[in-house]
Amino acid sequence: MTLTPLTRKLTAEDAAHFLRRTAFGATDAQIRALVGKDARTAAREALAFDQTTAPGNPFDPMQGAGPGPMIQLTRGAWLFELVYGPHPLREKLALTWSNHFVVGTDKVRNVHALAGYLGLLRRHAATASFERFTLEVAQSPAMLRYLDNDQNRRGKPNENFSRELLELFTTGIGPYSEEDVREGARALTGWTFEGGRGNQNYLEPSRFVFLERQHDPGRKTYLGHSGELRGEDIVRLAATHPRTAAFVSRKLHRAFLADTPDEAAVQGSAETWRRTNGNVRAVLEELLASEAFYASRARIIRSPVEYVVGALRTLGQPKLDAKALLNLTQTAGRMGQVLLQPENVKGWDGGREWINDTTLLLRLQLAAALTLGGKAPPLTAAPSALALTGLERPPSAAATLKLNPQQATYLHLISPEFQLA
């Protein structure tokens, strides 16, 4: 059964919850603007984003003096977009997809490959076709390099991408065999890219190419289908497999509903996925307007990047200079989340893995730097308890009554209510 829609008009706490999950956080005024709307309208409006970016981004990765500085500038540019961009849900989804279609800057060190990859994540953030999204990722120089399909040739197959296409990107472990992995790799032979190889060419454009002479054209059997299958057939069969619906829906539920999703709710989204042929936008619109979504409070531990961006958006997006933003990307890294560099191809586990004694201390230090430190953004009035905690009368409210705005905001930023979205 598909998810049951929320029928009441949004209350203030509903609106705060919606914006904590879809926009990292929001000011009191932004929350109040949503009060009284119906849930479906709020979801539809949040998903109606385009490719507009924030003006005045101070980071230009093309100015990097080498691959390392270029990657740092790319991270800075993304954090700027996360904090100041006009479409926070698009960026939240791009962050989510970067933890699904994982690539890492330990191998992908070309400015155009990284820009193309990020552009793909944004363009397909709420895609109408997961199949198309998967195909474009599979043919992106970033993925071809990261999972070695650029080395996959007739007679010398490399099974790395073929394996992860099934295990991590589409069906999940279960409905395939080692023979499917081998046959998939054969079909994907000849997919590679040209340009931008090596550290010396980190600014050189790169693009997907198909080398017919390196392709294995023979008959293959993959996921129960036989024929002279090519790479496009493999991606289509994996992306449209019935098990893909629940596997990817579960990841969306982890991003928007709970670190430990309710399986019945996941199956509801999977049903919508199958009915709409992998229309992610339709799945998200239903999910973000559902009773299950609004009943799921404080069940997601904010990731380090979400913590940083959530604090700044709740503080009203104070202007920070480029150096401060670069420092924040590094702080998020010390807390366990380096943008564009998940721990491995499986991505960040998230949930309780974000919290330990060290990362918790770093969160306290960051909250102090944003509120009490000498270089903290000006703060004449504390954000409301509703904006900071999602609750109009949080348990910590009484403790903040006699504090100045900086002290009250600091106390809320380190509270469990803020760290749990």
Side-chain angles (χ1 to χ4, degrees):
M1 178 181 291
T2 56
L3 300 179
T4 302
L6 185 80
T7 54
R8 68 170 181 269
K9 300 292 185 185
L10 298 187
T11 66
E13 291 192 354
D14 289 335
H17 173 69
F18 180 82
L19 291 170
R20 285 158 66 87
R21 290 279 176 87
T22 62
F24 303 101
T27 63
D28 197 59
Q30 291 167 329
I31 294 168
R32 298 292 174 188
L34 276 185
V35 175
K37 286 196 174 185
D38 67 79
R40 180 69 75 165
T41 299
R44 193 171 292 145
E45 289 178 353
L47 286 163
F49 46 73
D50 57 23
Q51 297 305 302
T52 307
T53 55
N57 195 318
F59 302 103
D60 180 2
M62 289 294 290
Q63 299 304 313
M70 177 276 291
I71 291 167
Q72 291 301 319
L73 292 173
T74 300
R75 291 193 179 110
W78 193 4
L79 185 66
F80 185 88
E81 195 62 38
L82 283 157
V83 174
Y84 301 110
H87 303 303
L89 179 52
R90 184 192 68 194
E91 298 305 307
K92 161 87 176 181
L93 284 162
L95 187 62
T96 300
W97 291 123
S98 80
N99 199 34
H100 177 75
F101 292 119
V102 168
V103 304
T105 53
D106 55 331
K107 293 179 71 172
V108 183
R109 301 174 69 79
N110 176 274
V111 66
H112 297 284
L114 288 172
Y117 170 75
L118 273 173
L120 262 177
L121 302 187
R122 289 182 175 129
R123 194 163 61 252
H124 284 287
T127 185
S129 172
F130 182 74
E131 176 189 343
R132 184 69 198 175
F133 187 12
T134 307
L135 177 63
E136 291 191 25
V137 168
Q139 294 182 335
S140 67
M143 185 59 75
L144 289 162
R145 173 72 186 94
Y146 185 64
L147 288 181
D148 306 314
N149 204 77
D150 61 329
Q151 305 300 315
N152 187 17
R153 304 182 178 103
R154 178 172 55 185
K156 283 186 161 182
N158 184 306
E159 299 173 0
N160 204 7
F161 177 75
S162 177
R163 183 179 304 283
E164 307 308 359
L165 173 66
L166 291 166
E167 180 177 333
L168 299 177
F169 301 161
T170 57
T171 68
I173 294 174
Y176 63 89
S177 66
E178 283 298 305
E179 189 61 18
D180 288 315
V181 173
R182 284 190 286 273
E183 293 285 86
R186 285 182 60 212
L188 290 158
T189 49
W191 281 24
T192 184
F193 67 93
E194 63 181 15
R197 291 183 184 275
N199 282 342
Q200 298 301 315
N201 298 313
Y202 70 100
L203 296 178
E204 183 180 274
S206 55
R207 68 180 185 91
F208 167 78
V209 292
F210 172 63
L211 300 180
E212 186 81 46
R213 66 180 180 279
Q214 295 184 359
H215 178 65
D216 182 342
R219 183 177 177 83
K220 310 163 188 82
T221 297
Y222 184 76
L223 297 176
H225 298 265
S226 298
E228 293 185 3
L229 302 176
R230 298 168 74 91
E232 290 85 349
D233 300 311
I234 296 307
V235 171
R236 172 177 51 79
L237 291 169
T240 59
H241 191 280
R243 290 283 288 270
T244 299
F247 184 72
V248 185
S249 291
R250 192 172 294 110
K251 290 200 173 183
L252 294 175
H253 277 242
R254 288 197 69 197
F256 290 99
L257 259 72
D259 286 333
T260 304
D262 174 76
E263 194 56 28
V266 169
Q267 292 303 325
S269 289
E271 182 177 323
T272 301
W273 181 293
R274 287 187 287 268
R275 176 171 50 79
T276 61
N277 299 316
N279 186 327
V280 173
R281 179 178 294 273
V283 172
L284 284 169
E285 183 177 315
E286 180 184 81
L287 186 157
L288 296 175
S290 68
E291 285 186 356
F293 174 80
Y294 284 96
S296 176
R297 308 290 175 103
R299 293 184 61 191
I300 296 177
I301 298 175
R302 290 181 193 257
S303 77
V305 169
E306 289 172 331
Y307 184 79
V308 169
V309 177
L312 290 172
R313 281 193 173 267
T314 305
L315 292 173
Q317 299 165 287
K319 194 70 176 175
L320 300 181
D321 62 29
K323 182 179 179 182
L325 288 166
L326 279 179
N327 287 340
L328 287 175
T329 66
Q330 293 166 1
T331 300
R334 289 197 298 277
M335 291 193 290
Q337 192 174 30
V338 180
L339 285 171
L340 296 168
Q341 187 60 68
E343 294 175 351
N344 52 50
V345 67
K346 190 163 65 68
W348 298 291
D349 289 330
R352 292 181 180 275
E353 296 298 315
W354 292 129
I355 300 296
N356 57 44
D357 290 348
T358 300
T359 61
L360 192 57
L361 178 60
L362 285 168
R363 290 187 182 216
L364 302 185
Q365 292 172 341
L366 174 62
L370 292 175
T371 54
L372 307 174
K375 295 182 180 178
L379 186 66
T380 54
S384 70
L386 177 66
L388 285 161
T389 69
L391 302 170
E392 293 196 282
R393 297 178 183 79
S396 56
T400 64
L401 289 177
K402 295 183 179 179
L403 302 179
N404 65 37
Q406 290 78 12
Q407 293 168 329
T409 303
Y410 168 73
L411 202 60
H412 280 308
L413 287 179
I414 65 172
S415 69
E417 288 80 8
F418 183 80
Q419 302 204 41
L420 290 168

